[in-house]
Amino acid sequence: MAGRVELEEAVDIARELRERERFNRVDYYDPYPYQEAFHETGATCNQRLLMAANRIGKSYCGSAEMSFHLTGLYPNWWKGRRFTQPIVAWAGGISNETTRDIVQFELLGSPDDPDAFGSGTVPRKSIIKTERKPGVPNAKSVALIKHVSGGNSSLFFKAYEMGVEKWQGRSVDCIWLDEEPSRDLYSQAVTRTLDKKGMVYMTFTPEQGMTETVASFMNNLRPGQSLNNATWDDASERIMSMKGTRGHLNEAVMEQILSSYSPHEREMRRYGRPSIGSGLVFPLSEEKLI
């Protein structure tokens, strides 16, 4: 009988630990060195770009940072900027659907599963309420988040397809842009943060090549701006194990991903750098040209 009671207690403890991990996900965030370096740039820069390869955790990096700013619950290792009061924040992607499926997913949990609400980087206990976005199934327009100071932060979900006009108006403390925006939209986002001395940060793979936005960070970095680049090596099981840490990308997965892309795309997908171009008669990798 005693053994059965002990077993039931052990099962209850295991269930509680799973629940705690699921709905306090950001507490278990153990950033890669490239992610931690990106977070640290926020201490000195208010315009930041994490230009990274596919599948290495750049969106999760962006959502974890947004969670810290919204709640004020910064980890002990944090060296980036800190907001000591509730903030007004915007988070956006290309379309309403991609904002829901990527940005909202990372922050609040799977949008199509009510039981998963609160399993994103924002702890469930910190989410006071949300409002749905009209016309977009399972999408949220705003979330009210409890800040450790006692007040509430406001998080608004936006999409580039709404047009630059919808990114005008109020002053904002922090804006996260997941995927590359147009130059006009980016400029509008920066303008929204000026009077509050806020910040804008972007996380994307440069799929559109050497655009004006990308070039401004790569070729003309100014005071207050930062550019961090991350490649598959920064999340590779083999490479990271050599550095005494863990990685989640193995060689088989990387080869599978590369095989689905044309040669000139592979540099961009693997190294998070703009590809030389598309439609070339003889598409060559940057490595071979060098």
Side-chain angles (χ1 to χ4, degrees):
M1 186 67 177
R4 181 177 179 180
V5 171
E6 291 175 354
L7 178 60
E8 290 178 350
E9 289 178 349
V11 171
D12 289 340
I13 292 172
R15 184 182 298 112
E16 173 64 25
L17 289 174
R18 285 197 300 271
E19 287 288 295
R20 188 176 300 176
E21 182 174 356
R22 186 183 187 194
F23 297 111
N24 295 277
R25 188 180 174 196
V26 79
D27 289 347
Y28 300 85
Y29 177 42
D30 182 18
Y32 288 125
Y34 87 83
Q35 293 171 322
E36 190 168 355
F38 174 69
H39 294 314
E40 190 171 344
T41 62
T44 56
C45 298
N46 53 19
Q47 295 184 48
R48 303 153 57 212
L49 169 57
L50 173 57
M51 193 169 64
N54 289 122
R55 302 287 297 276
I56 66 169
K58 58 184 180 297
S59 293
Y60 188 76
C61 174
S63 70
E65 171 154 340
M66 180 59 78
S67 173
F68 297 144
H69 295 324
L70 290 167
T71 64
L73 298 171
Y74 296 96
N76 292 332
W77 51 262
W78 186 261
K79 296 180 181 178
R81 180 169 180 178
R82 293 172 180 259
F83 289 94
T84 58
Q85 300 295 326
I87 66 170
V88 175
W90 290 354
I94 295 174
S95 67
N96 285 311
E97 288 74 20
T98 58
T99 298
R100 175 196 63 196
D101 296 341
I102 301 175
V103 178
Q104 180 183 318
F105 173 88
E106 295 288 7
L107 286 163
L108 303 180
S110 179
D112 56 353
D113 182 3
D115 292 336
F117 180 72
S119 62
T121 55
V122 179
R124 184 170 65 176
K125 63 184 178 182
S126 298
I127 304 174
I128 298 174
K129 69 174 183 177
T130 61
E131 295 181 10
R132 61 182 296 272
K133 183 182 288 289
V136 187
N138 303 318
K140 305 296 184 183
S141 62
V142 61
L144 197 64
I145 310 298
K146 183 179 179 181
H147 192 274
V148 70
S149 68
N152 299 322
S153 295
S154 298
L155 169 64
F156 295 85
F157 293 98
K158 291 181 171 289
Y160 307 163
E161 69 178 5
M162 297 165 62
V164 175
E165 297 78 12
K166 297 295 184 180
W167 290 73
Q168 297 174 350
R170 68 185 304 171
S171 299
V172 184
D173 296 285
C174 183
I175 299 177
W176 169 35
L177 304 174
D178 188 58
E179 299 303 339
E180 183 180 355
S182 68
R183 186 63 183 175
D184 288 343
L185 193 147
Y186 176 69
S187 296
Q188 189 61 237
V190 171
T191 301
R192 300 277 63 79
T193 63
L194 290 179
D195 61 342
K196 285 194 170 187
K197 295 181 173 59
M199 67 178 176
V200 179
Y201 65 93
M202 299 181 287
T203 54
F204 63 75
T205 302
E207 299 185 16
Q208 301 177 54
M210 187 62 79
T211 62
E212 188 176 355
T213 301
V214 171
S216 68
F217 277 84
M218 291 189 69
N219 302 330
N220 190 28
L221 203 63
R222 299 179 179 179
Q225 294 182 321
S226 69
L227 170 62
N228 292 70
N229 177 242
T231 74
W232 279 358
D233 288 344
D234 293 297
S236 165
E237 285 183 349
R238 181 177 62 84
I239 300 298
M240 297 310 290
S241 65
M242 293 168 60
K243 298 180 179 181
T245 185
R246 84 288 176 270
H248 70 272
L249 281 180
N250 58 49
E251 297 297 326
V253 170
M254 291 189 283
E255 286 301 320
Q256 182 181 14
I257 297 173
L258 281 182
S259 66
S260 64
Y261 296 115
S262 58
H264 74 274
E265 282 186 290
R266 294 173 186 171
E267 296 294 314
M268 175 264 294
R269 302 290 180 183
R270 181 165 192 160
Y271 297 108
R273 296 192 295 262
S275 60
I276 297 172
S278 59
L280 300 177
V281 177
F282 301 105
L284 298 173
S285 70
E286 182 176 332
E287 287 179 342
K288 289 184 178 179
L289 287 175
I290 292 173

